[in-house]
Amino acid sequence: MDTWEKSIASKLDDMNHIKKHTETFVKSVQDAQIRDQTRFNISYQEMAEVEKKRESIMELMQFTLDQEMKRFNSSYNQIVEIFKVNFNKTLNEIIANQQKVSREMATRGDPIAFSAYRTSSQQLTSGTKVLFNKVWTNVGNGYKQATGIFTAPRAGLYHFTAVILSKSGKDFFLQLFHNMMATSGSWAVGDGYKTGTFDVVLSLEKGDVVYLAGSGYHVYSDGGQYLTFSGHSIQ
């Protein structure tokens, strides 16, 4: 009986020992799980903080970029505006200077002179102006090649001359006009080429015009430059 009781007691001790080992193992497993969960939670929080910082940095970069773009646009607009102002100022200064030079030229009596010619023939219809469309001299810019008209830059006395050549065997009659009034004429008839000339002195007001015109005639010229029209200020 004693032996049996000792055996039972020994088994109970073994069971208690096993139970303690089991509890210790379970406790260690639970502690490990708690540690792992704690580390996971910390890592997740750290990742969340990193993501939040990344978003903050991106927002700051975007804000900075927007501010720089606004400053650039503002600077660009200012540069363009300054360029426009300076360009307009320079252009106005050039125009004002040219006008001043023209006024001074007209006031101090600088010479005005032109000499124009034509290198091809021209058919004149009713009241057609002779177009001396090439120039040797145009001091004062009073003569316009496109129209054949001289416009007086200032009032004064002017001397005008012209040489006209007819087509072979053809007559012609041309007149020199002051504004719309005929002042002198040149008439030529007969065989061959005929030359007509003009030589007049006119008193002009500023803006008065002088030109040659005819109706129904043909004037001749070629590389010999036979058609000429000249004028200059006397005083």
Side-chain angles (χ1 to χ4, degrees), residues 75-92:
S75 299
Y76 176 78
N77 292 334
Q78 289 177 359
I79 291 172
V80 171
E81 191 62 30
I82 291 172
F83 174 79
K84 288 180 179 178
V85 170
N86 290 337
F87 176 79
N88 290 333
K89 181 180 178 182
T90 302
L91 181 61
N92 290 333

Side-chain angles (χ1 to χ4, degrees), residues 31-43:
D31 290 342
Q33 288 179 339
I34 291 172
R35 286 194 300 272
D36 291 341
Q37 185 65 43
T38 300
R39 282 196 296 269
F40 174 79
N41 292 339
I42 292 173
S43 298

Side-chain angles (χ1 to χ4, degrees), residues 5 24 41 61 94 114-115 150 154 216 226 229:
E5 288 179 351
T24 300
N41 292 339
M61 290 176 63
I94 291 173
F114 77 95
S115 190
F150 171 78
R154 67 166 184 264
Y226 301 116
F229 180 31

Side-chain angles (χ1 to χ4, degrees), residues 90-229:
T90 302
L91 181 61
N92 290 333
E93 288 176 349
I94 291 173
I95 293 173
N97 186 58
Q98 289 178 337
Q99 292 174 344
K100 180 181 178 182
V101 170
S102 297
R103 287 194 299 269
E104 290 176 350
M105 182 178 179
T107 301
R108 67 175 179 253
D110 283 354
I112 295 172
F114 77 95
S115 190
Y117 63 98
R118 184 176 179 88
T119 59
S120 62
S121 299
Q122 182 183 0
Q123 180 66 47
L124 304 177
T125 57
S126 179
T128 303
K129 298 176 181 63
V130 182
L131 297 181
F132 302 88
N133 56 355
K134 306 285 186 178
V135 296
W136 286 300
T137 305
N138 195 13
V139 178
N141 294 316
Y143 181 76
K144 300 301 180 186
Q145 299 167 243
T147 62
I149 297 174
F150 171 78
T151 303
R154 67 166 184 264
L157 288 177
Y158 292 81
H159 179 213
F160 296 95
T161 62
V163 177
I164 303 296
L165 184 67
S166 74
K167 192 173 181 180
S168 181
K170 300 293 183 180
D171 302 338
F172 73 77
F173 176 67
L174 299 179
Q175 291 176 293
L176 186 143
F177 286 83
H178 172 199
N179 294 331
M180 297 182 67
M181 184 179 296
T183 62
S184 177
S186 183
W187 182 32
V189 296
D191 297 330
Y193 295 95
K194 296 164 289 294
T195 300
T197 60
F198 295 85
D199 192 346
V200 296
V201 174
L202 298 175
S203 178
L204 305 182
E205 296 297 325
K206 181 179 179 180
D208 282 2
V209 297
V210 177
Y211 56 90
L212 271 72
S215 299
Y217 298 100
H218 194 117
V219 292
Y220 177 82
S221 189
D222 55 25
Q225 303 163 7
Y226 301 116
L227 304 181
T228 63
F229 180 31

